Amino acid sequence: MTRAKSIASLCAGLALACVAALPQPPRQYTDQDYANAEKFMAYNVNPLAYKGQVTAQWLDDDRFWYREVDESGTSYLMVDPAKGSHEPLFDREKLAAALKETAKGGPPIDARHLQLSDISLSDGDRTLAFNMRGATYQCTLATSSSCKAISGGPARPGQVAQPPMNLSPDRKLGAFIRDWNLWVRDLATGAETQLTTDGIKDFGYATDNAGWKHSDSAILLWSPDSKKIATFQQDQRKDGEMYLVPVTNTHPELKAWKYPLVGDKDVTMIERVIIDVEARKVIRLKMQPDQHRSTLCDDIACDGDTFADVEWSPDEKHLAFVSTSREHKQEWLRVADVDTGDVREVMGETVPKFYESGNSKINWHYLQKSNEILWFSERDDWGNLYLYDLATGKLKNQVTRGPGNVTQVLYVDDKAHIIYFVGVGREKDRDPYFQHFYRVNFDGTGLKLLTPENADHRIKVSHDGRYFTDTYSTPTQPQVTVVRDDEGKTVMDVAKQDIAPLLASGWQPLTPITVKGRDDKTELYGFMFKPTHFDASKKYPVINYVYPGPQIGSCGARDFRAAHGDMQALAELGFIVVCVDGMGTPFRSKSFHEAYYADLGDNTIPDQVAGMKDLAKQYPFIDLDRVGIWGHSGGGNATGAAMLHYPDFFKVGIAESGNHDQRDYEDDWAEKWAGIEVKNPDGTSNYDSQANQNIAKNLKGHLMLAHGTMDDNVPPNNTLLMVDALIKANKDFDLVLIPNVPHGYGPASQYMMRRRWDYFVRYLAGDIPPNEYQMKSYGAAMAVTRSGPDGDDDE
């Protein structure tokens, strides 16, 4: 009897069992299947939830404005908490008409879709200043509005492009770089003044180059009275260079710039200076050059073009700043005399692994009026505040205590001796990533929760600390925005996010998850996305989206979002998509954050594996025989590590733009998380264990590598090292090199997303994707996301 007849005979008696046992033919996905998935991308679902979203922008007089987006277009509203008023900021039709006259020859201006930022009012609300399309405008609001462009904007034919400007607090001057020197422009007259004269190539003033990030912006901090500038002369003369060559049909132009690497003997240094703008005088601080480091990020500008870790005294006579050691283990808080350049060391901190001054915000503050320093430290395993004597540098008292962290100090009332701060993990039986707002006295008494709702709270404080806006939500519940006073009392309701159109579209919320980590006791938190056509009786392949940190985690913020990248869209294709914030990422305890210090090859992958195994116990529809993983940048590195360290667990991986060996990445990032490279006499190094190419021989599953050829953040060499090693190990893999795109792929990002979907459908689901499905164009997608309430490019 043939095998086929045997199976047929057996099936006659066990028909139902055989149907399940016989292999199913692969499913042919259609364009409509992909279109149904694409419906859940941000550019399709975000507009369905724009109405009622608020991103408050406070003015100096305790009023704030925000951008409202609804079916009528974009409006700008002004809220005055003292009066309880809530009304249009201006007549958008009149303003658009005035702008059309001013910006003749530029792109068309639509009154319903004005995208304005940095709005300020003066002259009794009769004069409006704002930024639009990279230019600064000033408009008179009257019966017939009129506008003039006072700086910036794209160059028109025959015009010279204007450099980006760092505006003074009084908005009368703009600082910019020309030929390695610092200049200022009078925005009213256009007159330009050169402030420095000895800047040269690779030793210029206020230059913005961290290797992985660089621009033409001037990095500095204006004094409050707009008369002085704190900045630096950046020395990169001995730094090594990075090189990229574009794909072209003729002689390519070599792109070369300074880019120090891990272990380099010579890295970027800065010489701190103070510039008297009126006198055009440069005061060089009397100290040795500082490392190009900050207490928060891997740059000296962590928030736009503002010089990080620098604060002026209220009388502009002194400048406080923090110097950071190369490996981020030591900090020195110093105060400089603005007139003489004399520098006094006040206090400092040394830690065994790495120091940070908070999460997303630098939290030390120079309190000259009370002769104190507010300092942030994780010395007791939690991020807390400490008060030091400015004169002696001695500790006066600890202000806050754990469990839970201070993440952002948003306002310090040095008259009343009260600190207002955002914290996480301080409320029992709540998601430890939910942010809440608190106040506490300088001496540590009077700690008070100001935002009681069990939700994630986004806070914006008025300039005098009298009010704050509180926008609260959860990953599954939409935003509510209220104004509260400094005691936490609700002063007025502002808006509620309307998600009725989103729900009508078939959208469903994600599922928050809690799983056990690698030690089988630490609780880890994350998100799970199921297809909207979910069937609990089926088994689903699972895809793990990963970003290992250590500076952030995989899942991002805990506020409400209609879309989280393409997680829901990918789930619609028949997958369970999961993200887990593993050990080694922030917002938990210091020991949690340090979990894999000096072992960057860890990449949280032991927690991803343990977490998915625990999740499968909770949800039997998860198929652990079909596990995929993908990530971008650090997530690309983590994906490579997962496929090579756990080749029997992860069957399919997509590693986009991964920094597969930190020695081929910028110095500041890895040296913070793993220390300085130590090379042994035999040629080995303490960085060898994190290099993915060293274990390329372990690959068993399907691995796609992708990189942009003009990636000036993570240079393409990182992926090509992996390619070289895989070829030498005789391994099959897939490679996508995208010509002439940077780290985020830009216009090719839609193409890469489609390739990602195809790869998981083909190799993880075992099915057949549609042929070359056409995603929405990048330009159209970005136009939608930029029109949102905050004007930013959403995920």
Side-chain angles (χ1 to χ4, degrees), residues 704-780:
M704 174 187 282
L705 301 169
H707 220 110
T709 66
M710 293 299 286
D711 189 336
D712 55 357
N713 180 343
V714 178
N717 275 356
N718 281 269
T719 287
L720 294 177
L721 280 171
M722 276 287 288
V723 169
D724 182 50
L726 289 166
I727 290 173
K728 288 175 178 175
N730 194 35
K731 295 295 181 179
D732 290 337
F733 63 96
D734 293 279
L735 175 65
V736 177
L737 290 178
I738 307 176
N740 301 329
V741 300
H743 193 55
Y745 303 158
S749 59
Q750 296 293 89
Y751 172 81
M752 188 62 224
M753 182 166 60
R754 192 267 294 173
R755 291 294 304 271
R756 187 164 64 241
W757 294 7
D758 288 354
Y759 207 71
F760 282 129
V761 165
R762 179 175 287 114
Y763 293 117
L764 193 60
D767 293 324
I768 303 170
N771 184 49
E772 298 175 354
Y773 175 76
Q774 182 65 58
M775 296 278 186
K776 190 167 190 171
S777 75
Y778 175 79

Side-chain angles (χ1 to χ4, degrees), residues 103-123:
K104 284 182 178 178
I109 292 175
D110 183 351
R112 295 177 64 251
H113 300 290
L114 292 173
Q115 298 297 306
L116 314 181
S117 62
D118 295 329
I119 293 175
S120 65
L121 288 163
S122 60
D123 192 25

Side-chain angles (χ1 to χ4, degrees), residues 557-592:
R558 264 52 180 186
D559 58 348
F560 181 84
R561 300 186 181 194
H564 293 256
D566 70 341
M567 293 188 197
Q568 184 61 49
L570 193 53
E572 289 301 306
L573 298 177
F575 301 102
I576 301 299
V577 180
V578 174
C579 68
V580 173
D581 287 326
M583 296 172 69
T585 58
F587 294 99
R588 305 286 291 276
S589 68
K590 178 67 167 172
S591 52
F592 184 99

Side-chain angles (χ1 to χ4, degrees), residues 55-76:
T55 302
Q57 306 293 337
W58 285 96
L59 301 176
D60 291 338
D61 58 4
D62 277 349
R63 297 180 298 167
F64 69 87
W65 64 269
Y66 70 94
R67 183 184 292 125
E68 167 81 353
V69 180
D70 57 22
E71 57 277 1
S72 72
T74 302
S75 302
Y76 291 80

